[in-house]
Amino acid sequence: MPYSTLDNITQQAVARWSTTHDPRLRELITKLIPHVHAYAKEVGLTHQEWLAGLNFLARVGQWTTDARGENILLSDVMGLSMLTVMLNDKLPKGATPHTVLGPFYVDDSPELEAGANMAEGVAGEPCFISGQVRNLKGEPIAGATLDMWQADDEGIYEVQLSEKSGPYLRGVYHSGPDGRFLVKTIAPLGYAIPMDGPVGELIKGTDISYFRPAHIHFIMSAPGYQKIITHLFKRGTEYLENDAVYGVKQELIADFHRHEPGVAPTGEKLDTPFWTIEYDFVLAPEGATADAEAKQAVPA
Ligand code: BEZ
Ligand code: FE
């Protein structure tokens, strides 16, 4: 092979990396190189810019810990996380769609009874979420798991708190024999994504809105069904159309109803206003995909 030139360096790099042993990794790297090289050529990348870019990535790495997903945040604000979610969402029509996981999930939330409060002692207006978990045929799914988490009224998640004092705004609920569930929490508010790190610095140099619309996170699962990672968003709330991480889907927007003080869905009497949400989740059986559904619809 000749020495490298502007014209042959991409081909040379691809040839070298074609020796990657793992076939999928080989594909990922050899397809990435031409894009990166084409980008550098297109923008006429200077030495200074190249170094600034690498230093930025290094800083993203330095900020990344178990409690702070700055690397994920970078992907989120570039739209890559949501693009990846959508590329891999093969759920059949009618199933509740996925959205981004986000950096604040904690996987050991306490098991809570129907109607128990996952926001015990946390400031905010009480909010009751009820509904049914169903399959694509409309049949109830008993024993489905609703693993939930949300931010407090200052937009803070448990993992962001400097002082930890037990589970904070998270809990695992289950649907009953009729597929129904009942959750007590506080009404979510919109919040800013973390802006104190390198990703925030980059965003501050733009006109991008760095807020997320009011939402609650769910991981829904049930034996024999595909797990979904999703949110419920509040209809009519700010930032639905410019969510900083591109996570909103029409099907995930729910009506939040505000009530004057009175009897809540749990039967308790409240002397403050409260909210209710009724939303049904639809799970697809394991193995069912949109592709398989389309094939079934077209006679051979
Ligand atoms: C979240 O909803 O928790 C979230 C998602 C992506 C980036 C920041 C926060
Ligand atoms: Fe969130």
Side-chain angles (χ1 to χ4, degrees), residues 65-133:
T65 63
D66 285 348
R68 174 68 185 253
E70 193 74 4
N71 53 348
I72 294 179
L73 189 63
L74 175 61
S75 160
D76 292 340
V77 299
M78 292 286 169
L80 182 60
S81 307
M82 200 53 199
L83 175 65
T84 309
V85 166
M86 292 190 283
L87 280 171
N88 289 281
D89 187 341
K90 304 272 185 344
L91 291 168
K93 215 167 110 224
T96 304
H98 294 277
T99 186
V100 280
L101 175 67
F104 301 128
Y105 175 63
V106 179
D107 72 0
D108 64 349
S109 290
E111 301 267 336
L112 299 175
E113 293 293 319
N117 189 3
M118 71 173 211
E120 203 62 67
V122 183
E125 293 193 318
C127 179
F128 299 86
I129 312 169
S130 58
Q132 192 180 41
V133 187

Side-chain angles (χ1 to χ4, degrees), residues 186-236:
I186 50 165
L189 301 173
Y191 61 81
I193 58 169
M195 287 295 288
D196 52 346
V199 174
E201 257 170 47
L202 201 62
I203 290 182
K204 282 177 194 157
T206 73
D207 295 331
I208 295 172
S209 163
Y210 47 87
F211 290 89
R212 298 218 62 207
H215 63 273
I216 301 178
H217 295 258
F218 294 79
I219 296 180
M220 304 288 305
S221 57
Y225 291 90
Q226 296 179 49
K227 179 169 95 174
I228 52 170
I229 297 173
T230 199
H231 302 0
L232 284 189
F233 295 94
K234 180 180 179 184
R235 193 181 308 285

Side-chain angles (χ1 to χ4, degrees), residues 11 47-48 80 129 145 158 165 171 191 193 202 210 218 241 243 270 276 280:
Q11 202 194 346
H47 187 80
Q48 240 180 352
L80 182 60
I129 312 169
T145 299
E158 181 186 304
S165 58
Y191 61 81
I193 58 169
L202 201 62
Y210 47 87
F218 294 79
E241 271 148 38
D243 179 8
L270 294 176
T276 57
D280 296 339

